[in-house]
Amino acid sequence: MARIRVLVVDDHRIFAESLAAALAAEQDVDVAAAGSGPAALRCLERAAAEGRRFDVLLVDADLGTAADGVGPPLPLPAELPYGGANGAAHSGIHGGARVGAHGGPLGAANGGPARAVNGRAADGISLVGAVRSTQPGVRTVVLAERDDPRRAAAALQAGASGWVAKDCSLVRLLAVIRGVLREETHLPPALLTGVLRELTAARKHRTESERLVESLTPREREVLRCMVAGLGRKAVAERLFLSPHTVRTHMQNVLGKLGVHSTLAAVALARRAGVGPVDLAGEIVERGGQLA
């Protein structure tokens, strides 16, 4: 029987414990848990390096928001391994105390959970995008306390395969887990109309953003990519071998052609159009190049 490896990511310990224990009771499911986005990424990386990749990630849509005033998070160990049925702990996951299906003691918490994924807030949807970039073979299902068409659409755009209410039955959740492994996408029926509307609107905005970006000259596009990377005028000038005055002119032209009034708005539009940041690891153009 092929086993399904599931990673639960939630910063509320009692929920993570209960869900992991319930899933571990299944004959063909192995479960581990992480208490933050960075801990989840480390767990995924370590499992991949050991040749035992996770199949499905269950991530809290509101991961990390407790630190923003919603309420104090309950600390979780970086990884909490659970076994399969009959309480047999899966030995391949390291860190934390091993527990059985009935939810025995967990390992000591490693302090408060980290709050950033690649320098960004570790909310659930950001984590979905990070996992798609680093572990494209992992299927992600978002667990939410409430139906929200806008956030569900954002989760699907980030790479999620499903959106499930936290108060759904275990039978339903297992059906979704098995379904996403068959390349299915799962949404609550009540969300379908709203999600389709959001996706259609997002596509319309993206198309308009792409048209505006295409109006830029090659040099202006490079300047825009530098802006997306967060570089200031002086840093852009150094990378493109231009004077700060010339860079300022290019930036003003970019804002004007995109129809926005700030760098932040230009960056947001660029991201909608699929424009990524310049590679900060190397030069993007040489002195005297065609773009100069």
Side-chain angles (χ1 to χ4, degrees):
M1 177 186 298
R3 303 193 66 78
I4 301 173
R5 303 195 68 233
V6 177
L7 178 62
V8 178
V9 188
D10 197 296
D11 52 6
H12 291 85
R13 180 171 180 170
I14 191 169
F15 177 82
E17 283 186 13
S18 300
L19 178 57
L23 291 172
E26 293 295 308
Q27 294 286 344
D28 61 341
V29 177
D30 291 328
V31 192
S36 70
L41 293 176
R42 290 194 298 270
C43 187
L44 291 169
E45 291 168 0
R46 181 154 54 252
E50 295 174 354
R52 297 179 297 98
R53 295 178 181 273
F54 283 95
D55 301 301
V56 178
L57 183 79
L58 302 179
V59 57
D60 177 21
D62 297 316
L63 182 69
T65 57
D68 299 321
V70 177
L74 294 174
L76 277 173
E79 301 167 41
L80 313 176
Y82 287 79
N86 304 322
H90 180 54
S91 61
I93 304 296
H94 304 288
R98 287 182 170 79
V99 300
H102 298 291
L106 298 171
N110 297 335
R115 295 298 176 190
V117 175
N118 296 333
R120 302 172 63 185
D123 63 281
I125 296 177
S126 294
L127 178 60
V128 170
V131 171
R132 182 175 65 173
S133 298
T134 60
Q135 302 278 344
V138 177
R139 299 292 174 261
T140 305
V141 175
V142 177
L143 305 179
E145 292 186 359
R146 60 189 180 280
D147 287 343
D148 185 332
R150 187 172 185 179
R151 296 192 71 202
L156 292 183
Q157 289 177 308
S161 297
W163 178 281
V164 179
K166 278 191 171 183
D167 61 357
C168 76
S169 68
L170 182 62
V171 171
R172 167 63 180 164
L173 180 58
L174 285 167
V176 171
I177 290 173
R178 300 182 195 284
V180 298
L181 290 176
R182 296 192 297 268
E183 306 295 332
E184 298 172 0
T185 299
H186 285 258
L187 287 170
L191 274 182
L192 285 177
T193 300
V195 168
L196 288 175
R197 185 183 300 113
E198 292 291 337
L199 292 176
T200 299
R203 179 57 191 167
K204 180 179 179 180
H205 290 314
R206 179 180 177 88
T207 301
E208 175 63 14
S209 299
E210 290 171 343
R211 184 187 65 79
L212 292 172
V213 169
E214 288 173 359
S215 71
L216 302 178
T217 67
R219 170 59 81 198
E220 289 165 350
R221 291 180 194 176
E222 290 297 342
V223 170
L224 179 59
R225 292 183 62 214
C226 289
M227 294 164 66
V228 173
L231 299 182
R233 187 186 309 164
K234 183 178 179 180
V236 175
E238 291 175 352
R239 294 190 66 82
L240 300 183
F241 303 103
L242 300 172
S243 71
H245 176 75
T246 300
V247 170
R248 183 175 71 172
T249 300
H250 282 312
M251 286 183 168
Q252 289 174 341
N253 290 340
V254 167
L255 298 184
K257 290 184 178 181
L258 297 184
V260 296
H261 302 286
S262 69
T263 297
L264 184 62
V267 169
L269 187 150
R271 290 195 174 278
R272 285 199 301 271
V275 177
V278 68
D279 182 7
L280 297 180
E283 299 297 333
I284 60 175
V285 66
E286 296 181 1
R287 188 189 303 273
Q290 293 181 353
L291 295 179

